[in-house]
Amino acid sequence: MIASLLEGETLVQIAYLIASGLFVLALMWMSSPKTARRGVWAGEVGMVLAVVGTLLHHDVVSYDLILIAMLIGTAIGVPMAYLMPMTAIPQRTAISHAFGALAVGLIGVAEYYKLAPTEAPGSFVMWALMFEMLLGFLTCTASVIAFAKLQEIMPTRPIMFSGQRLINLAVFAAAIVIGGMLIFTPTSNALFPAFIALALIFGMLLVIPIGGADMPTVIALLNSYAGLAASAMGFALNNKLLIIVGALDGTSGFILAMIMCKAMNRSFSNVLFGGFGQMAASSAGKVEERPVRSMSAEEAAPMLDMASSVVIIPGYGMAVAQAQHRVAELYEHLEEQGIDVKFAIHPVAGRMPGHMNVLLAEADVPYDKLVELEDINPEMPQTDVALIVGANDTVNPSARDDPNSAIAGMPIIEADKARTVMVVKRGMSAGFAGIENPIYYNENTQMLFGDAKKMSEQLVKELHELND
Amino acid sequence: MHNTSAMTDLLFVFMLAAFLGFQLIKRVSPLLHSPLMSLTNAIAAVVIVGAIVIAGEDGATPLARTLGFIAVTAATINAVSGFLITDRMLKMFKKRGS
C-alpha cells in the first residue's frame, strides 16, 4: 500500500488532489477581508504542490530549461507586483491574462504536433485541443488590446469601421471551419498556422470596438475566457487539476462580467458589439446652455464643516488624478470634526471590478467606510453633502429619469437626492458614456472646478484654517 | 487513453467545479473583486504543469522545448506577480482603528 502510494503517478495525483482542495479554499477565504490573506497563502501552497508534483513525474527528465524559465518568470513577476501603482492594476491584470492565455495556446501547439500524427480523426482529444488553442490565442490578443487601451497606448474610444460585424463573423466562422477540418483530418498540417492566425486576429477584432466605459466587463470576460482555455487544456491532457482550476476561474470571470453588465444595465452582446460608443456619438451633439453654480474651495469648506453627514462619491477622475490620498486626508479631517463620512462605491467606478475599493484602501480609508450602491441610496435623502469626485455617469440622474437616455435603466448613486451636491470636476465635459449630466444644473448643485487632487488639497487646507 | 467513461468523468469534474465556482464567487464581497481577479489569475497559472511536461519530456522536439520554455516563463510571471500583488492589495484593506 505505502509502496504503491509513493509510486510516481499516484504521488502526482495526490499532489494534484491536495492542490485542487487548496485552490477551492483560497476562493472560499476571499469572501471576507479578514480571511482573504489566508486565501492567498492557500493558493501559493497549492501552486507549489502542483509544480513539485509535476516535476516528480517520471515523464519529466530534463530540468535545466524549466528551472531557467522559472527564474526568468520570477525575475519579471516580482518587480511587476511591487512596482505597479494601484491605478495600473487593471493593465497588469489584462497583460497577465495575455501571458496566461499565450501559455495555454503554445502548450496546445506543442501537443498538436505531438498528437496529430497518431490521433484518430474526430477524437475527443483533438476537439479539446482545438478549443484550447482557439480560446487561448483569441484571449491572448484580446488581452493585449485591452492592455493597450487601458495603458492608453491605443485610443480608449471604441474603434468602428463599416462592415465590422460582418468581418468579425467571417473571421470567426473561418477559424471554426478550419478548426473543424483539423479535428477530422489531424494531419493536414498546412492549415494549422492559418487556424492560429485567425484565432489571433479574431481576438483583436473582438476588443477593438469596445470603449473605456466597458473595460470592467471586458477584463472580467477575459478572465473567464482564460479560465475556460485552461479547462480545455485539462480536457486535452486528461488533467483534472487543470479542469477544476479552469472552471473556477471561468465562472469567476463570468459572474463578475454579469455583475458589471447589471451595474450598467447592459447585455453581454451589447458590450461585445460596442453599443455604447454608437449611442454616445448620436447624443453628444446637443450641448445645453444652462447656467451652473460654481463655488471655490474657500466657500465650500464651511458648508462641509457645518454638515453632519457627508457622502464622498469617487469616480475614475479621482483615480486619474491620483487623488485618493488627498481625498483620504479630507475624509480624516471631516471625521475628526465629528462628521459622519461614508464613501459610496458604484460597481463600475474605475476600470476593473472593485478597483475603487483598492485605491481607497491604498489611501488607508477603512473598508467599513466603503458602502455599496444599494446600501447607500436609501441614506442619500438624509445626507447633508454629497461630494462627487471625478465621477460622471455613475451619478447621472437621467439613467433613472429619462427613458430615452443612452444609459437609461443603469443603476446610479442617487447623489442628486442629497441636500447639497458638490461636484469636483475639471470642466463641463461629459464622462465615458459621452452624455450630458443634468445633475450639474440642479438647484442644489455646486460645481467645484479643478483637478481632483488640487481641489481636495485646497478643501483640506481651508478646513484646517476654519478649525485651527 | 480516452475511452467514453474517461471523457464523461472529465465532464463531471468540470460541471461540479463550475457549480462550486458559482457558489464560491457569489459569496465574495464586492469590496474584494479586484484582489479576487488577481488571485484567480495567479491560480490559473497552474497551466504551468502542462508546460513543464511539454518542456521536460523525454524525447521532446526542439519546437516543443521552445514552446514549453516560453509557456513556463509566461505562467511563472503570472503566478509570481499574481500572488504577490493580491497580497499587496489585501494588506491595504484595514478596519477602522486597526
Side-chain angles (χ1 to χ4, degrees):
Chain A
M1 178 66 188
I2 301 287
S4 80
L5 272 184
L6 292 177
E7 192 206 316
E9 186 57 26
T10 320
L11 200 65
V12 176
Q13 291 305 323
I14 290 172
Y16 285 178
L17 183 68
I18 300 172
S20 302
L22 285 167
F23 291 147
V24 170
L25 282 175
L27 293 185
M28 213 171 94
W29 281 328
M30 284 305 278
S31 60
S32 143
K34 288 189 203 80
T35 52
R37 290 189 70 192
R38 207 191 305 160
V40 177
W41 181 81
E44 286 166 351
V45 176
M47 186 64 67
V48 170
L49 263 178
V51 169
V52 172
T54 310
L55 288 172
L56 290 176
H57 201 285
H58 54 82
D59 281 352
V60 178
V61 291
S62 85
Y63 292 101
D64 45 349
L65 271 182
I66 296 168
L67 293 178
I68 294 170
M70 283 181 175
L71 283 176
I72 297 174
T74 309
I76 300 172
V78 172
M80 235 173 109
Y82 285 112
L83 301 181
M84 203 62 83
M86 286 297 149
T87 38
I89 291 280
Q91 288 94 304
R92 193 217 66 96
T93 309
I95 203 69
S96 217
H97 289 149
F99 282 130
L102 177 72
V104 169
L106 294 181
I107 296 163
V109 173
E111 284 288 316
Y112 170 81
Y113 280 117
K114 194 172 103 188
L115 297 175
T118 52
E119 205 59 40
S123 72
F124 182 68
V125 171
M126 290 311 289
W127 276 98
L129 270 180
M130 287 300 148
F131 264 111
E132 174 189 339
M133 283 184 281
L134 182 67
L135 275 171
F137 285 120
L138 81 83
T139 307
C140 179
T141 45
S143 303
V144 170
I145 299 287
F147 169 80
K149 285 194 173 217
L150 289 165
Q151 188 66 39
E152 287 173 35
I153 299 168
M154 263 177 76
T156 49
R157 65 181 163 76
I159 297 170
M160 311 282 217
F161 49 86
S162 60
Q164 193 165 24
R165 284 181 199 194
L166 212 65
I167 291 172
N168 289 7
L169 200 67
V171 170
F172 186 63
I176 296 286
V177 168
I178 295 183
M181 287 164 74
L182 287 165
I183 291 171
F184 290 102
T185 47
T187 45
S188 51
N189 281 352
L191 282 175
F192 185 61
F195 171 72
I196 294 172
L198 285 168
L200 289 169
I201 293 168
F202 183 67
M204 284 190 252
L205 293 174
L206 202 60
V207 181
I208 282 174
I210 301 179
D214 285 319
M215 274 305 155
T217 319
V218 173
I219 302 251
L221 262 185
L222 292 172
N223 195 18
S224 185
Y225 290 169
L228 292 177
S231 239
M233 182 172 148
F235 281 108
L237 302 182
N238 190 21
N239 184 322
K240 296 192 182 75
L241 174 65
L242 292 180
I243 294 177
I244 293 169
V245 168
L248 293 175
D249 198 13
T251 48
S252 156
F254 185 70
I255 292 175
L256 292 181
M258 280 201 310
I259 293 172
M260 294 300 115
C261 277
K262 207 175 133 220
M264 297 201 294
N265 189 37
R266 314 196 44 213
S267 65
F268 270 134
S269 62
N270 214 318
V271 172
L272 286 177
F273 297 112
F276 236 24
Q278 284 168 326
M279 279 188 279
S282 63
S283 63
K286 50 161 192 175
V287 177
E288 290 182 63
E289 292 287 339
R290 279 192 285 167
V292 295
R293 279 151 289 269
S294 76
M295 238 186 191
S296 66
E298 205 177 345
E299 293 166 295
M303 288 185 78
L304 283 169
D305 196 52
M306 281 186 303
S308 58
S309 59
V310 173
V311 171
I312 301 175
I313 304 157
Y316 187 66
M318 184 198 77
V320 175
Q322 301 260 20
Q324 63 270 32
H325 296 281
R326 298 292 94 75
V327 172
E329 275 173 36
L330 183 62
Y331 149 79
E332 270 164 38
H333 189 90
L334 294 172
E335 277 270 288
E336 278 166 24
Q337 305 303 317
I339 300 165
D340 175 40
V341 189
K342 284 177 186 149
F343 286 83
I345 312 288
H346 193 281
V348 293
R351 284 182 155 186
M352 79 185 272
H355 190 200
M356 208 48 76
N357 298 306
V358 172
L359 293 177
L360 292 170
E362 186 198 11
D364 282 329
V365 175
Y367 64 75
D368 46 0
K369 285 282 163 186
L370 311 179
V371 188
E372 284 165 61
L373 175 87
E374 305 91 67
D375 300 323
I376 199 77
N377 274 344
E379 289 184 29
M380 290 313 298
Q382 296 91 43
T383 300
D384 290 328
V385 180
L387 180 65
I388 301 169
V389 187
N392 273 301
D393 306 325
T394 55
V395 292
N396 192 335
S398 56
R400 178 192 63 210
D401 304 331
D402 176 9
N404 296 320
S405 165
I407 56 168
M410 170 176 144
I412 54 155
I413 293 171
E414 299 189 306
D416 59 328
K417 292 196 173 161
R419 292 188 185 103
T420 302
V421 180
M422 293 184 187
V423 183
V424 177
K425 202 173 177 339
R426 277 184 302 185
M428 287 305 287
S429 64
F432 272 132
I435 47 175
E436 279 281 302
N437 191 341
I439 202 171
Y440 304 147
Y441 309 99
N442 284 356
E443 290 282 326
N444 63 340
T445 299
Q446 298 289 342
M447 303 299 291
L448 274 61
F449 287 116
D451 172 79
K453 196 170 177 176
K454 287 206 190 90
M455 185 52 78
S456 312
E457 249 164 34
Q458 281 169 9
L459 285 172
V460 173
K461 198 177 125 241
E462 296 295 336
L463 282 168
H464 268 297
E465 278 173 20
L466 279 175
N467 293 303
D468 291 342
Chain B
M1 178 172 73
H2 276 302
N3 52 35
T4 319
S5 96
M7 185 184 97
T8 47
D9 273 0
L10 298 182
L11 288 168
F12 271 113
V13 169
F14 178 76
M15 187 188 74
L16 291 175
F19 276 111
L20 178 64
F22 267 107
Q23 294 307 318
L24 288 175
I25 306 300
K26 252 175 38 192
R27 287 173 32 200
V28 174
S29 155
L31 193 67
L32 298 182
H33 277 169
S34 281
L36 167 73
M37 216 166 232
S38 57
L39 183 71
T40 52
N41 188 228
I43 289 175
V46 76
V47 296
I48 195 173
V49 303
I52 289 174
V53 175
I54 295 286
E57 233 170 6
D58 196 11
T61 61
L63 176 72
R65 281 210 201 285
T66 312
L67 296 176
F69 180 79
I70 301 171
V72 172
T73 310
T76 310
I77 294 174
N78 272 4
V80 170
S81 72
F83 282 123
L84 290 178
I85 209 160
T86 309
D87 199 52
R88 195 178 141 207
M89 277 190 249
L90 291 173
K91 257 192 272 185
M92 303 183 315
F93 282 92
K94 289 183 211 91
K95 239 191 153 130
R96 207 164 4 159
S98 63

